[in-house]
Amino acid sequence: MTRLLLVGPPGAGKGTQAGVLSEKLAIPHISTGELFRAHINDQTDLGRSVKQFLDSGQLVPDEVTNQLVIERLGEPDTDGGFLLDGFPRNIGQADVLGKYLAEVDRQLDAVVQLEVDEEVVVSRLLSRGRADDNEEVIRRRQSVYRSETAPLLEYYRDILVKVDGVGEVGVITDRVLNALRDRT
Ligand code: AMP
């Protein structure tokens, strides 16, 4: 059983790695960014209420985000594990996740940190062309990462697995899988 969380700055390749890893490990990939974008595409009430936050690169309010994730984690396909990508993104969300998992008698196995320099991620994002990928929004998302999300690395220090996130997709996937295998 594998319950994992992927952390790294926007543009570190979390989504790509999470997709590959979830297939290899046969666990669902749960991306809050993707869940939000699906709601925006489908023009749901939730989508309408979160669009401004995604467009401006700010975090969606915790209550909305937490509820979405907790509901998703309640689905039976997570019984054998899951890979969270982009959640939690601040300490408050991490506390809510921890409480929820404790209630259902589960715990995280590892938090994988994809390490990539800020200049590298900014130039990657500029070439990606997603709706929230203009330079001002990219810089906002990096600064939100530094102030809100990076403290999670300390919060999860006991189960943190650091992986060099620069290189070919397959090479990085192997690094993650090896690092998870090697962890004590
Ligand atoms: P991502 O696809 O992970 O880069 O997320 C895209 C955007 O979705 C972020 O810039 C936030 O606006 C929003 N978002 C994703 N995950 C979260 C989260 N855990 N908490 C708050 N907002 C989030």
Side-chain angles (χ1 to χ4, degrees), residues 14 31-34 36-37 53-54 57-60 65 85-89 93 128 130 132 141:
K14 292 189 299 295
S31 156
T32 38
E34 275 179 20
F36 287 139
R37 282 187 290 277
F53 297 101
L54 277 90
Q58 274 160 333
L59 293 186
V60 171
T65 308
D85 155 20
F87 179 93
R89 248 181 163 94
Q93 293 180 4
R128 188 168 69 174
R130 210 170 73 186
D132 54 353
R141 282 162 56 217

Side-chain angles (χ1 to χ4, degrees), residues 1-2 6 20 43 66 117 122 148 160 180:
M1 192 156 319
T2 322
L6 209 50
V20 181
Q43 303 188 355
N66 291 334
D117 280 348
V122 169
E148 301 272 322
L160 192 67
L180 287 173

Side-chain angles (χ1 to χ4, degrees), residues 3-104:
R3 299 187 195 100
L4 299 176
L5 204 151
L6 209 50
V7 187
K14 292 189 299 295
T16 306
Q17 285 304 322
V20 181
L21 288 164
S22 79
E23 264 188 38
K24 294 213 180 230
L25 298 169
I27 49 176
H29 168 201
I30 302 175
S31 156
T32 38
E34 275 179 20
L35 291 171
F36 287 139
R37 282 187 290 277
H39 274 278
I40 292 170
N41 267 337
D42 297 346
Q43 303 188 355
T44 66
D45 287 344
L46 179 75
R48 270 185 281 277
S49 72
V50 303
K51 187 176 185 309
Q52 48 170 324
F53 297 101
L54 277 90
D55 284 348
S56 63
Q58 274 160 333
L59 293 186
V60 171
D62 284 353
E63 312 83 77
V64 178
T65 308
N66 291 334
Q67 193 190 337
L68 188 75
V69 175
I70 301 300
E71 263 176 37
R72 179 65 188 86
L73 288 175
E75 289 177 26
D77 66 336
T78 65
D79 287 349
F82 52 78
L83 173 54
L84 279 173
D85 155 20
F87 179 93
R89 248 181 163 94
N90 60 32
I91 301 280
Q93 293 180 4
D95 283 338
V96 168
L97 176 65
K99 271 198 200 117
Y100 168 76
L101 291 176
E103 274 167 23
V104 295

Side-chain angles (χ1 to χ4, degrees), residues 119-182:
E119 296 111 79
V120 176
V121 292
V122 169
S123 68
R124 272 193 200 169
L125 288 173
L126 281 169
S127 65
R128 188 168 69 174
R130 210 170 73 186
D132 54 353
D133 280 346
N134 72 66
E135 186 154 2
E136 187 194 338
V137 175
I138 288 171
R139 299 223 177 269
R140 162 88 47 75
R141 282 162 56 217
Q142 297 299 330
S143 98
V144 168
Y145 175 78
R146 264 185 264 117
S147 60
E148 301 272 322
T149 310
L152 291 177
L153 303 172
E154 176 63 18
Y155 183 98
Y156 287 123
R157 65 185 176 281
D158 292 342
I159 53 167
L160 192 67
V161 173
K162 295 184 185 207
V163 175
D164 174 6
V166 181
E168 307 242 328
V169 172
V171 173
I172 298 169
T173 306
D174 287 343
R175 280 183 202 145
V176 173
L177 293 172
N178 288 334
L180 287 173
R181 217 170 284 133
D182 292 348

Side-chain angles (χ1 to χ4, degrees), residues 108-122:
L108 290 176
D109 296 305
V111 173
V112 176
Q113 177 191 2
L114 283 183
E115 296 186 287
V116 185
D117 280 348
E118 185 161 334
E119 296 111 79
V120 176
V121 292
V122 169

